[in-house]
Amino acid sequence: MIVETGLGAKAVIAGGGIVSGIALIAGMAGGAKVAATSSVTAAFCSQVQPSTTTVEADLTREQATNARTILDTANSMKLPRRAAVIGIATALQESGLKNDVVGDHGTSFGLFQQRPVNGWGTKGQVTDPHYAARAFFSRLVKVPNWSSLPLTEAAAIVQRPREDLRGEYDLRRVRADACAAAGQRAVVHRTAQRRRPRP
């Protein structure tokens, strides 16, 4: 499945990873400066991991950016990659990684469909992806043994969905794991690039 990340960047997602077919054409939209500003999202969707099982995916630039925000928030809170996987899987299930989704008869908002009436924050706060991700992780880490629980159980304890939806989060696990793995490699690559001495 082709992933459009903007500015000519494309990748194909398969199985446990993302098969790269990326082509950033800097000259198309303002040269090196534009290429640099888009490289984070592009790198996020350009890792190679062979697999025989195709994962349905069609990430827009917005979705890729939101997934990156969730991963970066987990990293900033010094949480393991599993937390990011749970977070991305939850957001995939709740909103399709889209921040403008309004659900539950107009009472839940944002990436994680958080409800202000349940103490998640104001509507303005829960529709800020950075705030929403931090709020999600703040509750996740309070779940006893969250890191060893099945993904769908940990997510359901935090999100408290209807009983018939409690098992749905695991349907997003493989895709979320691919996103988190690709994003983590991009973070390592960027860090190495910054530390590399200039000639």
Side-chain angles (χ1 to χ4, degrees):
M1 186 69 66
I2 299 298
V3 175
E4 290 280 358
T5 60
L7 299 176
K10 295 184 178 181
V12 180
I13 294 187
I18 302 177
V19 180
S20 176
I22 210 156
L24 278 181
I25 303 175
M28 288 177 59
K33 183 176 180 181
V34 172
T37 58
S38 65
S39 64
V40 171
T41 302
F44 182 72
C45 293
S46 65
Q47 305 301 317
V48 178
Q49 284 190 357
S51 175
T52 57
T53 305
T54 299
V55 177
E56 287 296 316
D58 186 12
L59 291 182
T60 64
R61 188 174 185 179
E62 176 197 4
Q63 289 171 310
T65 298
N66 288 332
R68 159 62 63 192
T69 296
I70 294 169
L71 176 63
D72 285 348
T73 301
N75 286 339
S76 73
M77 296 175 72
K78 303 188 184 308
L79 297 176
R81 186 168 74 88
R82 177 161 174 76
V85 173
I86 295 172
I88 293 170
T90 301
L92 278 167
Q93 174 61 26
E94 296 287 355
S95 67
L97 279 172
K98 296 178 182 178
N99 194 47
D100 58 357
V101 173
V102 177
D104 203 7
H105 306 289
T107 62
S108 59
F109 309 94
L111 293 179
F112 295 91
Q113 290 296 282
Q114 293 158 333
R115 303 179 69 199
V117 296
N118 287 347
W120 284 101
T122 66
K123 178 181 177 182
Q125 288 174 321
V126 301
T127 52
D128 174 345
H130 295 275
Y131 176 93
R134 182 168 288 274
F136 174 83
F137 290 130
S138 293
R139 292 198 183 190
L140 175 66
V141 297
K142 293 178 182 177
V143 175
N145 303 312
W146 68 268
S147 62
S148 59
L149 291 176
L151 182 151
T152 199
E153 185 177 343
I157 291 172
V158 175
Q159 296 295 106
R160 301 171 67 179
R162 294 195 325 252
E163 191 63 33
D164 60 320
L165 297 177
R166 292 181 69 86
E168 297 296 302
Y169 300 103
D170 198 55
L171 299 176
R172 317 298 176 189
R173 179 179 53 80
V174 173
R175 188 176 174 194
D177 190 64
C179 286
Q184 196 65 55
R185 285 192 294 273
V187 168
V188 171
H189 175 73
R190 292 202 318 275
T191 301
Q193 289 292 97
R194 286 197 297 268
R195 290 178 178 173
R196 183 177 297 172
R198 293 182 178 180

